Amino acid sequence: QKEVEQNSGPLSVPEGAIASLNCTYSDRGSQSFFWYRQYSGKSPELIMSIYSNGDKEDGRFTAQLNKASQYVSLLIRDSQPSDSATYLCAVIGSSASKIIFGSGTRLSIRP
Amino acid sequence: DTAVSQTPKYLVTQMGNDKSIKCEQNLGHDTMYWYKQDSKKFLKIMFSYNNKELIINETVPNRFSPKSPDKAHLNLHINSLELGDSAVYFCASSHDVTEAFFGQGTRLTVV
């Protein structure tokens, strides 16, 4: 089992709709969770951090964490073409020694 | 000013050569990383340093040798380059092991 799993996509969403990206992790003791956005040919850029169960909102982005289900998600409201990118889920495991990335979900917003 | 900068951005070299990639961060972070991103976009940790001390050394061939002369710098030297080393290498930094900030990447092509 991979430590951090994501559906590779591509996920195609119409402009203006809600994009929902999902991630599961294997280490039950994980405490810190992140979402990064990576445009083609660019470096990963941190867009959200979440540390406790529930929702965390920042503009059009909402991160959701459910530690019991070992599940973290990212919702993007009012999707724009500029949101088209690969979204990487990242987790710091219970050893707190490294940041582990999922393989990313490619999101495409169609006009 | 760029927060995490790495050089060179592109590196094309022949098999068997030795090359180095340099990384510097001006964020005052105490932890620095090298990640490798392959053609499938999977971002895999290679090394992690905290206050110049090696704390993570994943299963990386010993042809790869990181060096941290001080907290703000983490260089990567690669001996006897092989075709399979072709990838994008990202340097990143964080305060302890928390959200990481990435450099722009070095695209290494071995021919």
Side-chain angles (χ1 to χ4, degrees):
Chain A
Q1 182 188 9
K2 289 182 183 175
E3 293 173 281
V4 180
E5 293 210 55
Q6 297 180 253
N7 188 322
S8 62
L11 174 66
S12 180
V13 172
E15 185 174 354
I18 296 175
S20 177
L21 302 158
N22 305 314
C23 172
T24 58
Y25 58 95
S26 61
D27 183 346
R28 185 169 286 279
S30 299
Q31 296 295 326
S32 304
F33 307 86
F34 311 99
W35 282 100
Y36 285 79
R37 178 178 61 201
Q38 186 175 24
Y39 292 114
S40 180
K42 300 295 185 183
S43 59
E45 172 194 10
L46 179 69
I47 55 173
M48 289 287 285
S49 307
I50 187 165
Y51 303 98
S52 52
N53 279 329
D55 295 0
K56 179 182 177 183
E57 188 174 317
D58 183 1
R60 295 186 297 112
F61 298 98
T62 298
Q64 299 175 317
L65 175 61
N66 183 327
K67 289 185 180 179
S69 301
Q70 295 175 237
Y71 176 91
V72 58
S73 65
L74 179 70
L75 301 178
I76 306 174
R77 288 182 300 282
D78 188 23
S79 296
Q80 303 295 311
S82 60
D83 295 327
S84 297
T86 297
Y87 288 81
L88 301 165
C89 173
V91 175
I92 296 176
S94 53
S95 68
S97 62
K98 59 184 177 180
I99 306 166
I100 303 163
F101 284 81
S103 54
T105 298
R106 192 154 54 93
L107 174 65
S108 175
I109 306 301
R110 57 181 191 270
Chain B
D1 282 346
T2 305
V4 182
S5 62
Q6 52 182 111
T7 55
K9 190 172 180 181
Y10 299 97
L11 186 52
V12 181
T13 187
Q14 290 187 325
M15 273 185 0
N17 283 351
D18 303 340
K19 289 294 178 186
S20 293
I21 307 172
K22 295 186 176 182
C23 180
E24 175 181 4
Q25 54 93 6
N26 63 5
L27 296 167
H29 288 161
D30 50 19
T31 304
M32 296 185 72
Y33 314 84
W34 279 110
Y35 281 86
K36 178 180 180 181
Q37 189 169 47
D38 58 26
S39 57
K40 294 183 180 177
K41 304 301 183 187
F42 183 56
L43 200 60
K44 184 171 170 55
I45 191 165
M46 301 173 69
F47 302 104
S48 171
Y49 271 72
N50 179 268
N51 284 316
K52 303 193 302 176
E53 298 295 323
L54 179 67
I55 58 172
I56 292 284
N57 182 348
E58 294 292 298
T59 50
V60 178
N62 57 15
R63 297 182 295 105
F64 290 78
S65 52
K67 281 192 172 51
S68 182
D70 55 57
K71 281 195 333 181
H73 295 83
L74 180 61
N75 304 322
L76 183 65
H77 188 76
I78 315 170
N79 289 328
S80 303
L81 278 154
E82 300 178 356
L83 292 176
D85 297 333
S86 296
V88 181
Y89 292 84
F90 286 103
C91 175
S93 73
S94 66
H95 175 62
D96 290 331
V97 183
T98 56
E99 55 247 335
F101 295 87
F102 284 79
Q104 73 270 36
T106 296
R107 182 174 295 277
L108 172 65
T109 304
V110 183
V111 297

